Amino acid sequence: MANSSGTIAAEPAPITLDWSKTALVIIDMQRDFMEPGGFGETLGNDVSQLARAVQPIATVLAAVRDAGLLVVHTREGHLPDLSDAPPAKVERGAPSLRIGDPGPMGRILIRGEAGHDIIPELYPLESEIVIDKPGKGAFYATEFGDILQKYGIENLLVCGVTTEVCVNTTVREANDRGYRCVVISDGCASYFPEFHEMGLKMIKAQGGIFGWVTDSAAVLEALAA
Ligand code: TIU
């Protein structure tokens, strides 16, 4: 790690982070959300809307790996027996396939299936942490909070999909637990561009009510400074 801290240009204000207390958190960059035939598409979504986040995340991930920051990947999904999937979630709506049904990438949103895995472009290294979560937030029913405490993490650089669902839920959970969350705007995406825009606005409004919003270029600049 070249410098121990860096200042990221962000809204509503720049923020200085101690890199040793900062983790990159990549939310749910799984085939189930990103590719045709997965959970996202079964809900009726156009999965091509999410592709734009991949390259910005890849550039930040490479820089963060070089700088030696902690990297955490999350995956939304359920046990094969669905014991961690609330009926209220499984029965929701009228998807073309439900959670646990067989699909072209294996059973929909089930741990261990091809569709549940992280896309090749952002695949975790052996040394990186992968959190399997049954909900939208990364803290609920996971070891995420304990791991962040163990590593002395106080700040989260957050990216992934989708902006208004799992990214926002995780940022809200983290904010209430005292973490400073800096969300990387071009490293997030939504099936609904207007929800992406508003999801980011909600985070940075009111003096940064949930956190800060930056972009991948600003993170790279701060890490290189
Ligand atoms: N449907 C949707 O937009 N998102 C999710 O169900 N999960 C995540 O955001 N990862």
Side-chain angles (χ1 to χ4, degrees), residues 40-225:
E41 193 178 75
T42 70
L43 298 176
N45 296 309
D46 170 10
V47 295
S48 71
Q49 288 289 345
L50 304 190
R52 65 191 70 175
V54 175
Q55 197 49 45
I57 297 175
T59 59
V60 170
L61 179 57
V64 157
R65 282 172 174 166
D66 280 349
L69 271 61
L70 188 73
V71 177
V72 181
H73 305 255
T74 72
R75 298 185 297 203
E76 180 180 349
H78 297 285
L79 297 168
D81 66 2
L82 297 182
S83 58
D84 61 351
K89 181 178 183 182
V90 177
E91 295 164 0
R92 191 79 50 91
S96 59
L97 294 171
R98 289 193 190 275
I99 294 167
D101 285 350
M105 296 189 286
R107 294 177 66 202
I108 299 293
L109 214 62
I110 297 297
R111 294 183 194 173
E113 302 287 344
H116 178 264
D117 213 350
I118 292 171
I119 59 170
E121 298 94 315
L122 303 174
Y123 211 77
L125 300 177
E126 283 286 339
S127 57
E128 292 171 352
I129 294 161
V130 179
I131 302 287
D132 279 316
K133 61 186 182 68
K136 304 306 183 192
F139 289 85
Y140 171 67
T142 73
E143 66 281 25
F144 187 46
D146 290 340
I147 286 173
L148 296 179
Q149 264 196 317
K150 177 181 141 192
Y151 283 93
I153 297 298
E154 297 178 0
N155 317 305
L156 307 179
L157 297 170
V158 186
C159 56
V161 297
T162 62
T163 314
E164 82 281 14
V165 182
C166 291
V167 172
N168 249 272
T169 305
T170 298
V171 166
R172 289 166 189 230
E173 285 183 328
N175 182 58
D176 277 351
R177 287 165 173 77
Y179 296 95
R180 298 178 196 90
C181 295
V182 184
V183 179
I184 303 167
S185 58
D186 54 340
C188 297
S190 169
Y191 301 118
F192 307 89
E194 68 273 29
F195 291 173
H196 171 78
E197 186 191 338
M198 289 303 161
L200 296 174
K201 278 189 175 170
M202 286 178 196
I203 289 165
K204 69 187 178 187
Q206 306 184 60
I209 196 78
F210 297 122
W212 288 255
V213 176
T214 186
D215 61 20
S216 58
V219 174
L220 297 184
E221 209 171 305
L223 283 167

